[in-house]
Amino acid sequence: MKPRDRLRIAMQKSGRLTDPAQELLARCGLKFRQSRDKLFCFGEGEPVDLLLVRDDDIPGLIAEGVCDLGIVGRNVLREFQLTNPDTGAGMDELRPLGFGHCRLSIAVPQEDAYDGPAQLQGQRIATSYPGLLGEWLRSHGVDAKVVMLAGSVEIAPRLGTADAICDLVSSGATLVANQLREAVVVVESEAVLAGRRELPLDERGEIAELLLRRLDGVIQVRDSRLILMQAPRDALAAITRLLPGLPIPTLTPVDGAPDQVVLQALCAGSVSWRQLEDMKRAGARDMLVLPVEKMLA
Ligand code: ATP
Ligand code: MG
């Protein structure tokens, strides 16, 4: 394979992860020009290109060195590692990305009660995730038959080809529509940045590190709010306890009102109306909650 001096990231061509992944990279300051066949995006500012593929192919492309990084569901990455232990061993989840949340769960027919793993003994369980399901069954001492299906797993019990299923769930609506109910979660998943455990030692490694630093900033900012308010000094302890993430606030005196301060704090997570109302009851007023655009520590 020819050595590359540009970093290449694999991402889903079209699916649930496509838009949020592209938005995340844009927030990291990356701009791309798409090729005519829409399979490749050439990076215009930084030396970072994108390869647009089916999500199932992403871990393999990283393992083979065709791409350096990938944005993929934890479910797909871990399944690849379990079913390809040799090539998968050198790969890692570098960052959780905070979107594409779902869970890989075992579901049983609605009329069956679920009272623990032993109930699955000897049953046929349909799934597209034989590696993850197999690992869960082994760790719970259950001997069940894994029925591999590439898609439409949820109809297997109605067709009589399986007794239970192990599939991705987010709202649970698909399960209800197929008269199934979620029994147990096998993996909590979200989109992750996947890569080889050791970054390349050349320029690509340096670009990857720059990208990771920007990504950390973007993720921190996305989950942060700046809150401003005026508060009586004697209510500061009570108000500070109500700030999400318990930040250490910055205090500024108010001219002509020695018992008052302006409080400024960077909160982890959003600030709800209820939390604002609680702070108002504690004595705060003129409260402002602002999104943060960029942050560099
Ligand atoms: P591709 O054509 O790329 O193979 P796909 O049909 O396998 O597409 P999507 O349905 O777009 O993939 O799902 C991509 C990822 O989104 C999943 O692997 C999972 O990590 C995540 N995801 C989040 N919520 C759900 C959900 N309700 N069902 C399935 N996947 C979900
Ligand atoms: Mg897929």
Side-chain angles (χ1 to χ4, degrees):
M1 210 181 303
K2 267 200 302 181
R4 278 184 289 116
D5 52 3
R6 296 173 65 85
L7 192 76
R8 196 181 288 159
I9 308 177
M11 58 170 270
Q12 196 183 20
K13 181 169 194 275
S14 118
R16 292 170 203 263
L17 305 182
T18 307
D19 289 348
Q22 249 156 5
E23 197 178 309
L24 186 67
L25 294 177
R27 280 177 164 266
C28 289
L30 303 183
K31 289 198 183 68
F32 301 97
R33 184 160 31 87
Q34 202 165 36
S35 69
R36 214 170 287 160
D37 57 10
K38 302 214 157 79
L39 292 176
F40 193 78
C41 290
F42 184 80
E44 297 198 307
E46 313 294 344
V48 181
D49 304 322
L50 298 181
L51 199 62
L52 304 179
V53 294
R54 288 200 56 180
D55 69 342
D56 316 68
D57 295 334
I58 293 174
L61 289 168
I62 300 170
E64 288 163 19
V66 177
C67 293
D68 306 295
L69 301 171
I71 296 178
V72 67
R74 177 179 295 136
N75 49 308
V76 173
L77 176 64
R78 297 251 301 257
E79 180 67 21
F80 177 86
Q81 291 178 294
L82 286 168
T83 46
N84 302 272
D86 295 342
T87 43
M91 286 171 64
D92 215 352
E93 179 181 319
L94 303 178
R95 294 291 186 280
L97 299 176
F99 60 87
H101 287 279
C102 61
R103 43 202 193 273
L104 181 70
S105 290
I106 297 176
V108 296
Q110 254 162 17
E111 62 273 15
D112 292 0
Y114 178 76
D115 46 26
Q119 191 183 317
L120 299 165
Q121 184 70 25
Q123 301 245 299
R124 298 162 304 161
I125 310 177
T127 191
S128 311
Y129 293 89
L132 287 165
L133 174 60
E135 185 191 47
W136 187 90
L137 291 170
R138 270 191 304 282
S139 70
H140 288 81
V142 177
D143 191 10
K145 181 169 170 14
V146 175
V147 180
M148 172 62 194
L149 291 180
S152 303
V153 170
E154 65 282 358
I155 61 169
R158 268 196 292 154
L159 297 179
T161 51
D163 307 298
I165 68 163
C166 175
D167 203 7
L168 296 176
V169 183
S170 48
S171 70
T174 309
L175 293 184
V176 173
N178 287 283
Q179 289 122 49
L180 296 168
R181 66 193 183 83
E182 196 171 354
V184 58
V185 177
V186 173
V187 177
E188 291 280 358
S189 186
E190 66 184 281
V192 302
L193 184 74
R196 279 181 301 280
R197 202 153 289 152
E198 272 123 47
L199 293 174
L201 291 169
D202 49 20
E203 299 105 285
R204 281 180 298 155
E206 285 168 31
I207 307 161
E209 270 174 28
L210 171 123
L211 180 64
L212 285 174
R213 274 198 303 275
R214 287 194 189 173
L215 207 52
D216 289 338
V218 168
I219 293 169
Q220 207 185 345
V221 159
R222 187 183 56 196
D223 300 336
S224 300
R225 298 290 181 277
L226 182 70
I227 188 165
L228 297 168
M229 67 182 80
Q230 188 168 323
R233 282 186 190 277
D234 58 9
L236 281 178
I239 290 171
T240 306
R241 271 198 298 276
L242 295 168
L243 295 171
L246 300 174
I248 299 169
T250 308
L251 306 174
T252 317
V254 178
D255 279 348
D259 61 328
Q260 297 281 316
V261 285
V262 169
L263 178 154
Q264 171 186 321
L266 193 63
C267 299
S270 56
V271 184
S272 68
W273 282 109
R274 183 154 302 171
Q275 285 165 322
L276 283 181
E277 285 151 7
D278 288 345
M279 289 181 234
K280 190 172 173 68
R281 264 192 294 279
R285 61 187 176 91
D286 297 340
M287 285 175 276
L288 274 181
V289 181
L290 307 169
V292 180
E293 192 186 287
K294 286 196 181 70
M295 186 151 52
L296 190 64

